[in-house]
């Protein structure tokens, strides 16, 4: 990875592109570590209340549409796949496949949010939005507080991710990313995969608590 | 290769959902979390390329997770011991 | 330490980072880590003054046992503002954001931090957060204490609390981004030959601090966000009426806020290592132990937060676990104190102003730290919790410790940052005033706490008045000391003697470049061949030749070629 002239993409504080690439990667992982702790606070509060109020959590979980949750999980996993393919395309310097895969990621991400919106609207109609007009016990309200806080924070991160894709697309079309310089795509990919991982944990923790067993088992 | 991984992820999701409907008592939660952990590991190792990274980056990737475990452990030891009348060792004596 | 920057490049004809460009835009949009450090210096000083003003009002009220100056509600707002300003907007940014930003790249031989734009963003997060929080508190709505305990902050207080919490939340990003930046810079941008064990201990301290900032701050961020949501929308997570647990808030809050005190002090430890080495003319004794002790403090610091909650409803058994680990966390700190003392032993000690502060630090921090052991003992804490003993403890470590370390650093690196020296006589007088005033302010508070005076009360029993008057008298002296300090430092910018590159004859990469440094720090990338504190060698060579160019080998290198 050496050229005689300074590559356009090299920032002045770095010696070469390799150092810049490694630094950007490390910075992104450090950021992800703090994101883990950020969501971790919510997981911690959730753990405490699930321990204390298991009954209310089971009741709350059974209110949630498992089929939509499972569908959303599949959608996000697919979007992680398309994102990984996008990063590979970027590594190969293949501009058009990169564009297609990242647009696919965007479509899948948007699908997720649409499904989520339907879920939220349904909760609203059943009076399950935590706040002064909640219809249910205090302990159930705590479950739904965590449901909305955790999925809401997750959705916010998805929206930010989609916004970043919108910001990346013109740069991709201009050919900014080559096989020598594709850090932003790779690091965005790390962010996107992380958001997917959060959902991978949210799904069983919120949707699959104490589900009524099938009668034949 | 990514196709294999995403295939595994889809399968594991199906298993998680089905397993939730099987009455396993107290094992349901660890099973669901274990499967989630497996899925997360696949994403981290392959989609996020950690398998091909240096050991230093493995430390970075694991750091947040370990700190969270510490937080949860020390936090729950409070809640789980709130009802104890006597130290646990006495039960053994 | 070897470099190519020779004495001839210190001539005043060179462009410095201060004169490289002019105008407010060049400062507000700067990508130079040194300028970002100066921006932080200015604003943290402003917040220090704001916090100090509120402290003065607190001490004014406490002159008399009756509540005759302020209403109880107003008094609550005073100590809230004092705490919020001092902790979130002065202490936490102080050494990392001011001295760390300025020195870190230079001390490792880099041209800038890894992510300069992120660095500038950090400062803006700090500014926005600080403005929001100050506005909310000054508008008169926040009286929860800097600890924002629920259910008061979430259910029964005004909406201004949510605004203040948003300010602190945004400020959290400042910490996190600084941590990410520093961690990556230290890992990836050290100059050739700068191995981990040749790093100055200041860098090790910044590294440990960055780890804490990255892993701890997000937890308080999400906690405060939840409280703000509950305050605005009554969602009920911390509301006992709905089955919520206020202790959960305390767990989540202190999980960050205890490591936060290590964010505040560990960089100070780094400064003290630098200052002691220079003014004892000796390498730091037990370098490896001191380096690893910073990491040990960072790790253990995450395991002890429950010691703030012994009496508030935590389980007794959890309390025992936290108490035991709290005893352990004193060990790495003690390791540092022993090593600094061993460094001083048979050192060639010169008492310049930075050394005054460093020596004061060792004594006062040790006292404060030992009283922390009193508080870690559950049986004793039952009596001392929420009394002035706690207040005295944390002021000893934070003011007698951290602020003194910060001032040691400011006085040590002032000539490097500004190119000017301050008046030695005034600086020493001010240091002595501050030391004396500090002790008079806070030592009586240990006694007051022991005798049972509670904290955060604006009235107290008559028999405590004498000690309170002593404390307020001390605070006045302390204030005078600080005001003199601001005055001579500010004046030095205009009339101070111009400083050369190395007025203290110190060892370190920062002392081999001009004062103030050029915009890119080094004209050619330095190659490092010596350990961090090669003071004996530097002094021996001095007798045989010029101190600036006779230290070991010189390797000339064009910028950008392979090491």
């Amino acid at each position: 990875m050496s050229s005689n002239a300074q590559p356009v993409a090299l920032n002045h504080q770095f010696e070469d592109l390799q150092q810049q690439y490694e630094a950007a990667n490390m910075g992104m992982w450090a950021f992800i570590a703090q994101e883990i702790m950020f969501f971790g606070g919510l997981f911690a509060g959730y753990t405490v209340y699930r321990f204390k109020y298991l009954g209310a959590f089971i009741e709350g979980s059974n209110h949630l549409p498992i089929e939509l949750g499972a569908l959303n999980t599949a959608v996000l996993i697919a979007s992680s796949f398309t994102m990984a393919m996008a990063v590979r395309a970027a590594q190969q310097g293949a501009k058009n496949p990169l564009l297609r895969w990242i647009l696919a990621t965007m479509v899948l991400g948007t699908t997720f949010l649409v499904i989520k919106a339907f879920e939220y609207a349904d909760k609203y109609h059943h009076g399950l939005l935590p706040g002064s007009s909640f219809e249910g016990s205090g302990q159930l309200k705590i479950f739904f507080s965590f449901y909305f806080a955790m999925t809401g924070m997750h959705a916010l991160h998805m929206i930010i991710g989609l916004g970043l894709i919108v910001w990346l697309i013109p740069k991709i079309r201009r050919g900014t990313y080559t096989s020598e310089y594709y850090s932003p795509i790779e690091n965005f990919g790390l962010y996107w995969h992380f958001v997917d991982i959060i959902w991978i944990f949210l799904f069983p923790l919120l949707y699959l608590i104490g589900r009524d067993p099938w009668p034949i088992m | 290769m990514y196709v294999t991984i995403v295939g595994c992820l889809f399968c594991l999701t199906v298993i998680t959902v089905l397993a939730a409907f099987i009455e396993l008592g107290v094992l349901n939660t660890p099973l669901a979390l274990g499967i989630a952990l497996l899925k997360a590991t696949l994403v981290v190792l392959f989609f996020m390329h950690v398998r091909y990274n240096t050991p230093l980056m493995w430390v970075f990737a694991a750091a947040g997770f370990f700190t969270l475990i510490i937080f949860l452990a020390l936090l729950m030891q409070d809640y789980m011991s709130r009802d104890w009348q006597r130290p646990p060792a006495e039960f053994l004596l | 330490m070897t470099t190519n920057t020779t004495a001839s490049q210190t001539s005043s004809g060179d462009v410095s980072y201060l004169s490289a460009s002019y105008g407010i835009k060049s400062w507000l949009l700067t990508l130079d880590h040194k300028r970002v450090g100066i921006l932080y210096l200015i604003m943290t000083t402003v917040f220090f003054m704001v916090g100090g003003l509120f402290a003065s009002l607190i001490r004014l009220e406490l002159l008399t046992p009756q509540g005759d100056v302020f209403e109880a509600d107003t008094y609550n707002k005073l100590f809230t503002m004092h705490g919020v300003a001092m902790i979130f907007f002065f202490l936490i940014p102080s050494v990392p954001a001011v001295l760390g930003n300025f020195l870190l790249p230079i001390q490792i031989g880099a041209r800038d931090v890894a992510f300069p734009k992120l660095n500038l963003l950090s400062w803006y997060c700090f500014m926005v957060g600080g403005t929001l929080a100050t506005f909310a508190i000054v508008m008169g709505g926040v009286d929860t204490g800097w600890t924002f305990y629920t259910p008061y902050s979430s259910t029964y207080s005004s909406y201004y609390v949510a605004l203040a919490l948003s300010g602190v939340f945004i400020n959290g990003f400042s910490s996190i981004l600084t941590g990410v930046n520093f961690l990556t810079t230290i890992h990836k941008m050290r100059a050739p030959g700068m191995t981990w064990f040749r790093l100055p201990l200041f860098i090790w301290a910044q590294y440990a601090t960055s780890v804490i900032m990255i892993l701890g701050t997000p937890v308080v961020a999400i906690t405060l966000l939840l409280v703000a949501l509950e305050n605005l929308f009554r969602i009920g997570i911390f509301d006992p009426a709905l089955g919520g647990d206020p202790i959960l808030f305390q767990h989540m809050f202190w999980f960050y806020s205890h490591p936060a005190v290590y964010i505040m002090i560990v960089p100070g430890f780094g400064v003290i290592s630098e200052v002691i080495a220079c003014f004892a003319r000796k390498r730091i004794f037990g370098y490896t132990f001191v380096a690893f002790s910073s990491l040990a403090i960072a790790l253990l610091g995450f395991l002890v937060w429950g010691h703030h909650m012994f009496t508030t409803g935590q389980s007794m058994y959890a309390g025992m676990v936290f108490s035991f680990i709290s005893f352990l966390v004193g060990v790495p700190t003690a390791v540092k104190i022993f090593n600094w003392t061993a460094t001083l032993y048979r050192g060639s000690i010169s008492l310049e102003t930075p050394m005054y502060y460093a020596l004061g630090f060792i004594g006062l921090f040790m006292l404060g730290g030992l009283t922390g052991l009193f508080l870690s003992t559950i049986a004793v804490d039952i009596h001392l919790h929420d009394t002035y003993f706690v207040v005295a403890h944390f002021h000893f470590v934070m003011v007698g410790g951290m602020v003194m370390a910060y001032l040691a650093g400011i006085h040590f690196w002032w000539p490097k940052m500004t190119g000017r020296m301050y008046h030695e006589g005034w600086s020493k007088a001010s240091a002595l005033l501050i030391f004396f005033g500090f002790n008079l302010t806070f030592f009586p508070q240990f006694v007051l706490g022991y005798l049972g005076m509670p904290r955060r009360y604006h009235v107290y029993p008559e028999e405590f008045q004498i000690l309170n008057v002593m404390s307020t008298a001390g605070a006045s002296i302390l204030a005078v000391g600080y005001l003199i300090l601001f005055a001579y430092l500010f004046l030095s910018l205009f009339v101070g003697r111009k400083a050369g590159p190395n007025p203290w004859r110190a060892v370190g990469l920062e002392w081999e470049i001009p004062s103030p440094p050029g915009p890119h720090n080094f004209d050619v990338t330095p190659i490092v061949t010596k350990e961090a504190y090669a003071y004996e060698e530097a002094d021996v060579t001095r007798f045989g030749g010029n101190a600036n160019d006779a230290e070991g080998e010189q390797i000339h290198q064009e910028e950008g070629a392979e090491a």
Side-chain angles (χ1 to χ4, degrees):
Chain A
M1 187 179 289
S2 58
S3 49
N4 287 329
Q6 287 287 32
V8 177
L10 182 65
N11 289 319
H12 82 280
Q13 68 269 22
F14 293 112
E15 298 290 327
D16 53 49
L17 275 178
Q18 180 64 19
Q19 187 192 33
Q20 181 173 306
Y21 169 83
E22 287 173 13
N25 200 42
M26 177 180 278
M28 191 66 216
W29 273 109
F31 184 74
I32 288 177
Q34 74 85 27
E35 286 278 309
I36 294 175
M37 292 311 294
F38 187 69
F39 279 95
L42 286 170
F43 282 107
Y46 164 94
T47 309
V48 167
Y49 284 123
R50 177 168 169 162
F51 176 76
K52 284 178 72 150
Y53 304 137
L54 187 56
F57 269 53
I58 293 178
E59 184 192 342
S61 181
N62 279 295
H63 269 118
L64 298 179
I66 194 174
E67 62 284 354
L68 288 184
L71 178 60
N72 257 347
T73 310
V75 166
L76 264 194
I77 289 175
S79 80
S80 255
F81 171 71
T82 55
M83 192 64 223
M85 296 302 287
V87 173
R88 174 194 285 176
Q91 278 172 332
Q92 294 165 342
K95 185 175 106 171
N96 287 322
L98 166 60
L99 198 57
R100 282 198 292 268
W101 284 116
I102 221 169
L103 280 170
T105 311
M106 187 166 151
V107 165
L108 288 166
T110 314
T111 311
F112 177 93
L113 288 174
V114 166
I115 299 177
K116 208 92 254 23
F118 276 117
E119 272 194 67
Y120 279 6
D122 184 65
K123 295 286 160 305
Y124 172 71
H125 286 125
H126 284 110
L128 289 173
L129 244 55
S132 344
S133 54
F134 185 79
E135 294 168 17
S137 72
Q139 299 181 4
L140 190 66
K141 186 171 172 185
I142 289 181
F143 172 81
F144 277 101
S145 298
F146 275 95
Y147 168 77
F148 279 103
M150 293 168 99
T151 58
M153 187 53 70
H154 176 262
L156 177 64
H157 280 76
M158 296 263 332
I159 294 173
I160 292 173
L162 292 175
L164 285 171
I165 293 183
V166 168
W167 178 74
L168 282 172
I169 284 176
K171 293 186 160 209
I172 297 175
R173 296 179 79 206
R174 257 183 275 140
T176 316
Y177 305 114
T178 64
S179 55
E180 276 200 345
Y181 173 67
Y182 59 91
S183 263
I185 308 287
E186 168 135 21
N187 291 328
F188 175 76
L190 290 179
Y191 174 82
W192 191 262
H193 293 307
F194 167 75
V195 178
D196 179 28
I197 289 177
I198 292 292
W199 182 261
I200 286 175
F201 281 100
L202 282 186
F203 174 59
L205 288 177
L206 290 172
Y207 289 78
L208 299 180
I209 313 175
R211 285 274 167 178
D212 302 324
W214 286 335
I216 52 172
M217 294 188 188
Chain B
M1 217 266 264
Y2 288 149
V3 179
T4 322
I5 300 296
V6 77
C8 291
L9 289 169
F10 281 132
C11 287
L12 287 171
T13 309
V14 171
I15 295 176
T16 313
V17 173
L18 292 177
F21 288 104
I22 305 175
E23 181 62 58
L24 289 168
V26 75
L27 278 182
N28 265 111
T29 312
L31 178 64
L33 277 179
I35 297 179
L37 195 59
L38 188 56
K39 286 157 83 178
T41 312
L42 286 174
V43 173
V44 165
L45 284 179
F46 293 101
F47 284 168
M48 295 169 91
H49 301 144
V50 168
R51 186 158 172 266
Y52 312 110
N53 260 335
T54 61
L56 178 65
M57 297 316 297
W58 296 348
V59 172
F60 271 69
F65 181 69
F66 277 118
T67 315
L68 184 58
I69 295 294
I70 290 175
F71 183 29
L72 287 171
L74 284 171
L75 177 70
M76 291 314 293
Q77 56 123 13
D78 173 22
Y79 286 93
M80 287 164 62
S81 63
R82 286 230 181 138
D83 292 326
W84 291 355
Q85 301 301 318
R86 292 267 181 276
E90 269 208 23
F91 290 122
L92 302 170
L93 290 172
Chain C
M1 292 281 172
T2 330
T3 185
N4 302 21
T5 320
T6 60
S8 64
Q9 284 180 297
T10 65
S11 66
S12 56
D14 282 341
V15 173
S16 79
Y17 78 98
L18 290 169
S19 56
S21 51
Y22 291 104
I24 194 98
K25 240 179 91 174
S26 77
W27 279 88
L28 291 181
L29 293 178
T30 183
L31 294 178
D32 184 348
H33 67 97
K34 301 181 287 297
R35 286 194 170 198
V36 174
I38 300 296
L39 289 174
Y40 270 109
L41 174 64
I42 297 171
M43 289 315 301
T44 54
T45 309
V46 169
F47 278 109
F48 182 74
M49 292 189 190
V50 168
L53 172 67
F54 284 96
S56 314
L57 295 174
I58 292 172
R59 287 307 331 160
L60 187 66
E61 169 64 73
L62 291 176
L63 260 180
T64 56
Q66 307 85 9
D68 40 15
V69 183
F70 297 109
E71 305 273 320
D73 282 342
T74 313
Y75 185 79
N76 295 347
K77 294 170 190 173
L78 292 180
F79 66 69
T80 303
M81 184 67 218
H82 172 68
V84 168
M86 286 305 202
I87 292 179
F88 290 117
F89 303 111
F90 170 66
L91 279 169
I92 285 179
S94 64
V95 174
V98 178
L99 296 174
N101 258 318
F102 196 95
L103 293 164
L104 192 142
I106 303 179
Q107 282 194 342
I108 65 173
R111 282 191 285 280
D112 207 317
V113 289
F115 309 118
K117 289 186 203 158
L118 223 57
N119 211 7
L120 186 65
L121 179 63
S122 279
W123 186 75
Y124 277 106
C125 289
F126 167 77
M127 288 299 291
V128 170
T131 310
L132 279 176
T134 310
F135 176 77
I137 298 176
V138 160
M139 290 304 284
V142 187
D143 52 355
T144 58
W146 79 275
T147 45
F148 294 107
Y149 270 19
T150 59
Y152 182 61
S153 60
S154 55
T155 315
Y156 301 104
S157 58
S158 75
Y159 294 129
Y160 281 114
V161 169
L163 189 62
L165 291 171
S166 315
V168 177
F169 177 85
I170 294 173
N171 187 53
F173 278 106
S174 172
S175 251
I176 292 171
L177 296 177
T178 301
V180 168
N181 227 335
F182 283 4
L183 206 72
T184 312
T185 308
I186 296 174
H187 268 285
K188 288 291 174 193
M189 295 176 68
R190 285 167 285 131
M194 178 63 90
T195 60
W196 282 95
F197 292 105
R198 287 184 184 155
L199 284 171
L201 288 166
F202 181 76
I203 304 295
W204 278 98
Q206 292 294 340
Y207 185 88
T209 310
S210 303
V211 171
I212 308 176
M213 288 201 274
I214 293 173
L215 294 174
T217 317
V219 177
V220 81
I222 190 67
T223 310
L224 297 181
L225 192 65
L226 287 174
V227 175
L229 285 175
E230 184 148 333
N231 181 284
L232 291 172
F233 302 118
R234 304 284 180 246
I235 55 175
I237 295 181
F238 303 117
D239 186 354
L242 296 168
D245 188 4
I247 312 301
L248 175 64
F249 169 80
Q250 293 183 26
H251 272 296
M252 292 171 74
F253 177 81
W254 287 111
F255 179 79
Y256 163 73
S257 299
H258 188 83
V261 315
Y262 296 115
I263 294 177
M264 295 186 243
I265 196 70
V266 168
F269 291 154
V271 172
I272 297 299
S273 289
E274 301 295 312
V275 172
I276 298 250
C278 176
F279 294 103
R281 312 302 306 169
K282 258 180 89 177
R283 63 188 292 278
I284 293 288
F285 187 91
Y287 171 98
T288 319
F289 275 93
V290 178
F292 281 121
S293 70
S294 292
L295 298 178
I297 293 173
L299 173 64
L300 286 172
F302 273 105
L303 308 179
V304 300
W305 77 86
H307 67 225
H308 297 270
M309 298 154 57
F310 286 146
T311 65
T312 59
Q314 190 176 241
S315 108
M316 185 174 79
Y317 305 102
M320 295 191 316
V321 170
F322 283 121
S323 172
F324 178 69
I325 306 179
S326 300
F327 289 132
L328 290 181
V329 83
V331 172
T333 314
V335 162
K336 286 188 198 278
I337 305 259
F338 286 130
N339 280 299
W340 289 324
T341 313
T343 310
L344 290 171
Y345 178 65
R346 291 167 77 103
S348 178
I349 298 180
S350 63
L351 289 173
E352 318 286 344
T353 312
M355 194 57 157
Y356 273 38
Y357 283 111
L359 293 174
F361 171 94
I362 294 182
L364 296 177
F365 178 79
M366 199 174 64
L367 270 176
L370 289 174
T371 54
L373 290 174
F374 283 52
L375 294 167
S376 308
T377 315
I378 302 182
V380 177
D381 188 64
I382 304 264
H383 300 280
L384 296 178
H385 178 79
D386 264 355
T387 66
Y388 261 83
F389 194 92
V390 180
V391 176
H393 158 71
F394 63 71
H395 281 94
F396 259 78
V397 288
M398 285 297 132
V399 185
M402 187 51 211
V403 175
M404 290 228 168
Y406 178 63
L407 292 178
I410 291 287
H411 284 81
F412 187 49
W413 282 296
W414 188 261
K416 178 57 56 184
M417 299 196 299
T418 62
R420 302 274 189 165
M421 276 301 287
Y422 42 82
H423 190 281
E424 191 73 18
W426 279 109
S427 65
K428 286 182 172 167
S430 162
L432 289 171
L433 268 180
I434 288 175
F435 184 82
F436 178 71
F438 168 84
N439 276 297
L440 186 58
T441 312
F442 292 108
F443 198 86
Q445 293 184 5
F446 277 127
V447 183
L448 278 170
Y450 179 75
L451 292 174
M453 177 175 169
R455 63 186 285 202
R456 294 179 169 176
Y457 276 47
H458 73 312
V459 296
Y460 54 82
E462 289 262 347
E463 60 260 32
F464 294 146
Q465 181 169 22
I466 295 182
L467 289 165
N468 270 297
V469 170
M470 284 169 71
S471 186
T472 304
S476 320
I477 299 173
L478 192 58
V480 170
Y482 286 135
L483 287 172
I484 295 179
L485 189 147
F486 294 138
Y488 69 73
L489 281 182
F490 183 69
L491 284 175
S492 77
L493 296 173
F494 305 102
V495 302
R497 183 170 45 90
K498 279 211 165 46
N502 197 352
W504 310 115
R505 297 176 301 131
V507 171
L509 282 178
E510 74 267 31
W511 302 109
E512 297 178 17
I513 59 177
S515 303
H520 297 294
N521 302 338
F522 302 96
D523 288 331
V524 291
T525 309
I527 312 250
V528 176
T529 57
K530 292 283 165 65
E531 58 157 348
Y533 301 105
Y535 277 98
E536 287 97 352
E537 283 182 52
D539 285 348
V540 162
T541 331
R542 188 163 293 113
F543 290 110
N546 189 323
N548 280 336
D549 61 18
E551 295 162 26
E553 308 160 47
Q554 293 241 2
I555 303 174
H556 288 273
Q557 162 125 329
E558 290 307 308
E559 185 172 12
E562 286 302 292

